[in-house]
C-alpha cells in the first residue's frame, strides 16, 4: 500500500510539472513516456545505493513510549495534491511522541552541471510552524517549480539523512525529512499534519501561498542594532498584521504571531561588530613563534580551547594557507579605508610570511609551509592580498608580487579555472596607481581571455572540488561583471545575466537572519569545522559571493534598469548583513552554523567551535556596503 501511495505522488509530479507527455499506471507499474521523474530521489537504490525504500516519500518515523498508529491520506484538489498525516495514540495512557519525521526525498544532488540544469532541484525549507513551506526550485532557475505548504499542524524543523564521506561527500545534499514538533497525546487523541503540493513559476511563489490560505512573513531586514525597532509583517489573503519590536539586547530575537514567526538578530552595531572581530584577529589569530616557519601567519582559532589551532594532524582545511588568506585580505581592505599603524604592521609581517613561506621565487604557491596541494584558488587569493597591500602602502613591490602570482596561476592552470575572487577591480587599480601600464594591459588581456572561456561555457559549468555549486556560478557572474566594467564589452554582461537565474535559484527569502538571501551550502561544516558534520550550513560565508555578484551586476545595469539594480543591491546587502551572525560580540567567530535538527540521527543545529575561514563574509560586507 505504501508503494502505491508513493506512486501517486510520482504520477502527480509527472503530469503537473510537465515532465511526461503520457503516464500510465497498471498492475503496480508506472509507464512514463517522454521523460523521467526528476523531482524525487529514486528510493530503490538505483540512483544512489544508500537511498532505499526506507526513505520512500511520506514514510514516518518517531520515538514514542506507547502505541501510535500513523494514517496517510492523499487526494487531488484541482491542480494541487493534498496530503494528510494523522498520528493517533491507540494506547490507554498518555504517550510522549518525539523526534518525528516524514521523509520527503527531493532530488537535490549534483552529478554535473548538465544534469543539474535539466533534472535537479534546489530545496529551500522554511520550518516556520503553521506557515512552514518548502520551495523546490529547478536548478536552472527555469520553471515550473514545486511548492509545499502546511495547511494544518506545524513543521518545526527538519532532519537530513545519509550524509557521509562514502555517500556522495559534497555532491549529495541528503534525504530530507520534515519534522512536526514533539507532543503529548492523550488516549485516542490524534494529531494531524496536512500539506499541499502545487506548481509555481518562481516569482509567484508568495502569491500562490497566499491564494491557498498561507501566511507570508517578512521584515525589511533581519539584523538590527540595539536600539533599533524592527517591524515584521504577517501577510495573509485577508490582510496584514505588523508587529513592532524594539531591539533591547544582542542575540536571536523571535517575533511570533498565530503559530509562525520571524527570526531576527540583535547586534551592538555593524561597525562595532566588525571592529571587534578585526581586533580579535590581531590579538589572537596571528601566530607568534620565531622558531616556527608559520610565524606571522593568520591561523584557525578554537573557540572551545581558547587558542590558535596548530593543526598538528595536518588537516588541509585547517592549514595556515588557503582560505585563511581571507583574514589578510579583510584586514588590508579595512586598513586601507581606516588607516591604523598597528594593523598595517601586522599586515606587513603577514605579507612577508606569505611571500617567503608559502611561495617559491617563481610564485608557485603552496597550501601550507610544507607544500600541500597546488590549488588554483590559492593564487587568486594571494594576488588579491598583494594588490590590496599595494593600494594600502603604495609599495610597488606588492603590485609586482600580485601580477607575478597571477602569471603563475595562468601558467599552471590555464584560462578555464573558475577562481573565487579573481582580483579584477583591485588588480587593475593597483597596477594603474603603481604606474605599471604595460602590466595592467597584459593582465586585462588575461582576464578577457578567461572571460571568453566563461562566455563559451555558459551554463555548462565545469567540475572543480565540487561537481556543481554556488561558488562556481557566483564568482563567474562577479568576474564577468567586473571584466565588463573594465572593458565595456557588452557580451560579458550578457553572459553574466544568463547565469543569474541558476544563481538566484540557489537561495530564497525565508524570514530568518540565517536563511534569508543565503545560498545553499551543505558540506562546509565537515570540511572546515571541528565536529566535521555534513549537512546544511546557514549561513556559510561563501554565500556572500552571491552578494558580490548581485552588487557588481547592479552596478552594470544601474543606468539601463535602475529598478532592477536597486533590487539586486538590496538583496546583496541583505546577504552580507545576515552573514554577520557568524561573528560574536567578544570578537570570536564560527565557520559554520549547521542548521538541521539532526544529521544522520545525531543532534545538530549548532555553531561550530572553529573560527576558520568565515572572515571572507566581512570582506564582501565591505565591498557591498563601501
Amino acid at each position: 500500500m505504501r508503494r502505491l501511495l508513493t506512486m501517486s505522488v510520482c504520477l502527480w509530479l509527472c503530469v503537473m510539472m510537465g515532465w511526461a507527455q503520457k503516464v500510465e499506471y497498471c498492475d503496480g507499474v508506472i509507464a512514463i513516456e517522454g521523460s523521467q521523474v526528476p523531482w524525487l530521489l529514486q528510493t530503490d537504490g538505483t540512483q544512489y545505493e544508500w537511498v532505499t525504500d526506507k526513505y520512500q516519500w511520506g514514510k514516518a518515523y518517531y520515538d514514542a513510549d506507547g502505541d501510535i498508529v500513523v494514517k496517510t491520506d492523499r487526494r487531488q484538489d484541482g491542480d494541487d495534491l493534498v496530503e494528510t498525516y494523522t498520528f493517533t495514540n491507540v494506547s490507554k495512557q498518555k504517550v510522549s511522541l518525539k523526534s518525528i519525521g516524514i521523509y520527503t526525498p527531493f532530488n537535490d544532488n549534483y552529478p554535473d552541471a548538465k544534469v543539474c540544469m535539466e533534472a535537479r532541484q534546489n530545496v529551500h525549507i522554511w520550518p516556520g510552524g503553521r506557515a512552514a513551506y518548502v520551495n523546490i526550485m529547478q536548478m536552472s532557475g527555469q520553471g515550473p517549480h514545486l511548492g509545499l505548504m502546511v495547511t494544518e499542524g506545524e513543521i518545526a524543523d527538519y532532519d537530513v539523512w545519509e550524509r557521509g564521506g562514502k555517500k556522495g561527500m559534497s555532491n549529495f545534499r541528503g534525504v530530507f525529512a520534515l519534522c512536526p514538533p514533539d507532543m503529548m497525546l492523550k488516549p485516542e487523541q490524534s494529531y494531524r499534519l496536512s500539506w499541499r503540493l502545487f506548481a509555481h513559476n518562481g516569482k509567484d511563489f508568495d502569491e500562490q501561498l497566499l491564494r491557498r490560505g498561507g501566511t507570508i512573513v517578512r521584515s525589511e531586514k533581519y539584523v538590527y542594532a540595539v536600539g533599533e525597532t524592527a517591524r515584521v509583517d504577517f501577510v495573509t489573503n485577508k490582510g496584514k498584521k505588523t508587529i513592532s519590536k524594539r531591539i533591547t539586547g544582542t542575540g536571536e530575537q523571535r517575533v511570533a504571531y498565530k503559530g509562525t514567526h520571524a527570526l531576527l538578530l540583535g547586534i551592538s552595531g555593524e561597525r562595532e561588530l566588525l571592529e571587534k572581530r578585526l581586533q580579535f584577529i590581531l590579538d589572537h589569530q596571528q601566530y607568534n613563534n620565531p622558531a616556527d616557519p608559520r610565524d606571522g601567519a593568520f591561523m584557525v582559532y578554537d573557540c572551545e580551547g581558547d587558542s590558535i589551532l596548530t593543526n598538528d594532524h595536518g588537516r588541509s582545511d585547517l592549514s595556515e594557507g588557503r582560505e585563511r588568506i581571507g583574514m589578510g585580505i579583510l584586514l588590508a581592505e579595512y586598513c586601507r579605508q581606516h588607516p591604523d599603524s598597528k594593523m598595517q604592521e601586522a599586515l606587513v609581517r603577514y605579507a612577508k610570511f606569505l611571500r617567503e613561506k608559502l611561495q617559491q621565487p617563481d610564485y608557485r604557491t603552496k597550501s601550507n609551509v610544507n607544500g600541500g596541494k597546488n590549488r588554483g584558488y590559492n593564487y587568486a587569493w594571494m594576488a588579491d592580498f598583494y594588490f590590496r597591500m599595494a593600494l594600502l602602502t603604495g609599495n610597488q613591490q606588492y603590485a609586482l608580487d600580485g601580477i607575478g602570482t597571477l602569471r603563475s596561476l595562468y601558467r599552471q592552470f590555464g584560462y578555464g579555472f573558475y577562481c573565487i575572487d579573481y582580483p579584477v577591480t583591485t588588480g587593475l587599480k593597483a597596477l594603474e596607481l603603481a604606474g605599471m601600464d604595460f602590466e595592467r594591459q597584459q593582465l586585462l588581456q588575461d582576464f578577457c581571455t578567461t572571460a571568453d572561456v566563461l562566455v563559451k561555457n555558459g551554463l555548462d559549468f565545469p567540475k572543480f572540488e565540487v561537481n556543481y555549486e554556488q561558488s562556481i556560478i557566483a564568482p563567474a557572474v562577479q568576474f564577468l561583471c567586473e571584466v565588463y566594467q573594465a572593458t565595456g564589452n557588452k557580451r560579458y554582461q550578457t553572459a553574466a545575466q544568463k547565469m543569474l537565474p541558476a544563481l538566484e535559484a540557489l537561495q530564497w527569502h525565508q524570514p530568518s537572519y540565517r536563511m534569508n538571501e543565503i545560498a545553499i551550502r551543505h558540506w562546509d561544516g565537515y570540511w572546515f569545522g571541528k565536529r566535521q558534520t555534513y549537512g546544511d550550513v546557514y549561513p556559510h560565508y561563501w554565500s556572500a559571493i552571491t552578494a558580490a555578484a548581485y552588487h557588481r551586476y547592479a552596478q552594470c545595469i544601474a543606468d539601463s534598469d535602475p529598478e532592477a539594480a536597486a533590487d539586486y543591491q538590496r538583496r546583496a546587502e541583505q546577504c552580507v548583513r545576515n552573514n554577520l551572525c557568524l561573528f560574536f560580540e567578544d570578537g570570536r567567530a564560527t565557520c559554520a552554523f549547521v542548521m538541521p535538527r539532526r544529521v544522520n540521527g545525531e543532534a545538530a543545529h549548532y555553531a561550530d567551535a572553529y573560527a576558520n575561514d568565515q572572515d571572507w563574509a566581512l570582506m564582501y560586507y565591505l565591498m557591498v556596503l563601501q
Side-chain angles (χ1 to χ4, degrees):
M1 183 63 177
R2 185 174 298 282
R3 179 171 176 79
L4 183 63
L5 291 172
T6 301
M7 290 300 101
S8 71
V9 178
C10 292
L11 285 167
W12 179 83
L13 285 170
C14 287
V15 175
M16 296 310 301
M17 306 309 293
W19 283 96
Q21 286 75 55
K22 184 179 180 182
V23 180
E24 295 179 351
Y25 182 78
C26 181
D27 297 328
V29 178
I30 282 185
I32 302 174
E33 180 183 314
S35 185
Q36 300 296 314
V37 189
W39 291 88
L40 301 181
L41 286 163
Q42 297 173 24
T43 54
D44 58 1
T46 57
Q47 185 176 355
Y48 294 101
E49 62 183 69
W50 54 86
V51 183
T52 64
D53 60 4
K54 173 182 178 181
Y55 299 109
Q56 285 183 354
W57 177 277
K59 188 173 182 178
Y61 60 89
Y62 50 83
D63 294 331
D65 57 3
D67 295 330
I68 296 292
V69 170
V70 183
K71 180 184 177 183
T72 304
D73 293 302
R74 290 181 175 88
R75 63 182 175 85
Q76 190 157 345
D77 182 16
D79 290 339
D80 296 355
L81 183 66
V82 179
E83 299 188 321
T84 300
Y85 300 87
T86 304
F87 298 79
T88 301
N89 176 8
V90 296
S91 65
K92 295 182 179 180
Q93 64 275 340
K94 290 182 180 180
V95 172
S96 173
L97 189 59
K98 298 180 178 180
S99 302
I100 312 165
I102 300 171
Y103 292 120
T104 52
F106 294 114
N107 210 0
D108 191 335
N109 51 87
Y110 317 100
D112 56 53
K114 184 176 188 298
V115 173
C116 288
M117 289 296 118
E118 297 176 353
R120 294 293 184 271
Q121 291 76 43
N122 296 311
V123 178
H124 303 286
I125 299 172
W126 170 235
R130 293 181 185 176
Y133 62 73
V134 186
N135 184 5
I136 306 98
M137 301 279 288
Q138 300 271 25
M139 288 192 184
S140 65
Q142 306 300 323
H145 308 293
L146 181 65
L148 181 156
M149 61 175 290
V150 168
T151 56
E152 182 180 357
E154 299 180 46
I155 292 173
D157 225 316
Y158 71 104
D159 290 345
V160 173
W161 298 89
E162 297 297 336
R163 294 304 314 272
K166 296 182 179 179
K167 295 179 179 180
M169 298 182 71
S170 304
N171 298 306
F172 178 71
R173 193 174 166 198
V175 180
F176 302 103
L178 303 180
C179 304
D182 294 345
M183 64 191 72
M184 183 73 72
L185 295 179
K186 298 177 182 178
E188 299 185 5
Q189 184 181 4
S190 296
Y191 177 85
R192 285 164 52 95
L193 172 66
S194 291
W195 61 51
R196 181 177 289 263
L197 291 155
F198 59 93
H200 66 95
N201 65 25
K203 292 183 179 179
D204 70 338
F205 180 79
D206 289 356
E207 176 188 340
Q208 296 288 356
L209 284 182
L210 294 175
R211 285 176 53 191
R212 290 165 172 81
T215 300
I216 299 298
V217 185
R218 56 191 175 215
S219 180
E220 182 181 2
K221 61 180 182 175
Y222 294 87
V223 176
Y224 290 86
V226 171
E228 289 188 295
T229 298
R231 291 175 177 84
V232 180
D233 294 332
F234 295 83
V235 184
T236 69
N237 56 14
K238 296 180 180 179
K240 179 175 71 173
K241 170 69 173 180
T242 299
I243 296 179
S244 297
K245 180 180 177 63
R246 183 172 173 81
I247 306 302
T248 59
T250 60
E252 185 169 285
Q253 315 284 319
R254 187 183 182 97
V255 181
Y257 179 69
K258 289 189 175 181
T260 191
H261 60 274
L263 292 176
L264 314 178
L265 180 68
I267 62 173
S268 55
E270 292 179 21
R271 181 164 178 178
E272 290 89 341
L273 193 64
L274 170 62
E275 291 181 345
K276 289 174 184 177
R277 176 62 190 149
L278 294 171
Q279 193 60 52
F280 188 92
I281 294 172
L282 292 173
D283 292 344
H284 299 285
Q285 291 190 242
Q286 188 165 35
Y287 197 51
N288 296 301
N289 184 354
D292 192 298
R294 297 170 295 183
D295 184 54
F298 292 118
M299 297 176 66
V300 176
Y301 192 85
D302 184 350
C303 294
E304 288 179 338
D306 254 346
S307 63
I308 279 180
L309 184 72
T310 55
N311 192 28
D312 295 329
H313 298 294
R315 266 179 57 184
S316 62
D317 52 343
L318 306 177
S319 75
E320 60 276 6
R322 295 170 57 123
E323 280 82 355
R324 268 56 62 195
I325 299 170
M327 282 184 273
I329 292 174
L330 168 65
L331 289 165
E333 180 59 26
Y334 186 84
C335 193
R336 185 182 69 82
Q337 297 182 23
H338 308 277
D340 181 282
S341 59
K342 289 186 177 180
M343 188 177 293
Q344 184 165 328
E345 181 181 338
L347 284 164
V348 169
R349 184 175 165 222
Y350 181 59
K352 186 175 188 294
F353 161 75
L354 293 182
R355 186 68 187 98
E356 295 181 0
K357 303 301 182 181
L358 286 188
Q359 287 189 309
Q360 297 176 0
D362 65 353
Y363 293 98
R364 186 180 178 90
T365 300
K366 300 181 287 185
S367 287
N368 58 63
V369 294
N370 296 316
K373 182 179 179 180
N374 185 26
R375 192 171 180 240
Y377 297 112
N378 295 339
Y379 292 79
W381 300 335
M382 196 85 81
D384 190 4
F385 173 75
Y386 286 140
F387 287 137
R388 291 178 194 272
M389 286 297 290
L391 293 171
L392 169 64
T393 66
N395 186 339
Q396 189 184 68
Q397 184 58 50
Y398 288 127
L400 289 168
D401 291 336
I403 192 74
T405 301
L406 287 180
R407 284 174 178 165
S408 183
L409 166 68
Y410 284 121
R411 282 197 305 270
Q412 296 175 75
F413 295 90
Y415 292 93
F417 194 88
Y418 284 53
C419 272
I420 298 171
D421 190 43
Y422 271 116
V424 179
T425 301
T426 54
L428 296 177
K429 183 178 180 180
L431 293 172
E432 179 183 3
L433 292 179
M436 299 169 63
D437 295 336
F438 174 78
E439 289 82 358
R440 184 185 185 282
Q441 288 302 315
Q442 186 180 44
L443 181 59
L444 181 58
Q445 183 56 53
D446 285 336
F447 287 150
C448 288
T449 303
T450 299
D452 291 340
V453 174
L454 271 59
V455 171
K456 181 180 178 181
N457 289 343
L459 296 178
D460 189 16
F461 298 101
K463 297 179 181 180
F464 288 101
E465 294 179 344
V466 176
N467 290 346
Y468 176 87
E469 60 169 326
Q470 169 260 354
S471 57
I472 294 174
I473 307 174
V477 172
Q478 179 188 348
F479 175 77
L480 287 167
C481 288
E482 291 192 49
V483 176
Y484 164 71
Q485 290 176 309
T487 64
N489 190 330
K490 193 74 174 180
R491 65 195 293 263
Y492 299 138
Q493 180 192 321
T494 300
Q497 183 179 5
K498 290 179 179 178
M499 295 176 183
L500 277 174
L503 180 60
E504 292 180 76
L506 281 155
Q507 60 200 69
W508 193 242
H509 50 253
Q510 299 98 312
S512 165
Y513 67 93
R514 294 199 183 280
M515 305 181 87
N516 188 278
E517 294 295 348
I518 300 296
I520 292 168
R521 312 266 315 175
H522 53 86
W523 57 91
D524 304 280
Y526 176 85
W527 289 110
F528 298 98
K530 184 173 185 177
R531 283 175 54 179
Q532 291 197 281
T533 302
Y534 281 104
D536 293 356
V537 176
Y538 286 106
H540 185 265
Y541 70 91
W542 276 148
S543 63
I545 316 173
T546 297
Y550 287 172
H551 171 66
R552 292 301 187 194
Y553 185 71
Q555 291 177 332
C556 291
I557 64 170
D559 293 333
S560 60
D561 193 345
E563 184 176 348
D567 187 57
Y568 278 112
Q569 179 63 21
R570 176 193 62 80
R571 294 170 66 188
E573 293 179 10
Q574 197 82 281
C575 177
V576 294
R577 285 196 170 100
N578 289 341
N579 266 276
L580 293 177
C581 69
L582 295 170
F583 307 94
F584 307 130
E585 294 293 338
D586 62 359
R588 288 172 170 79
T590 176
C591 63
F593 188 93
V594 182
M595 177 62 70
R597 176 185 70 173
R598 296 190 302 182
V599 176
N600 294 342
E602 297 293 325
H605 202 72
Y606 71 92
D608 196 88
Y610 282 166
N612 189 331
D613 47 354
Q614 66 291 315
D615 297 288
W616 285 97
L618 296 179
M619 191 278 285
Y620 287 115
Y621 172 91
L622 292 177
M623 174 192 290
V624 169
L625 293 168
Q626 62 185 349

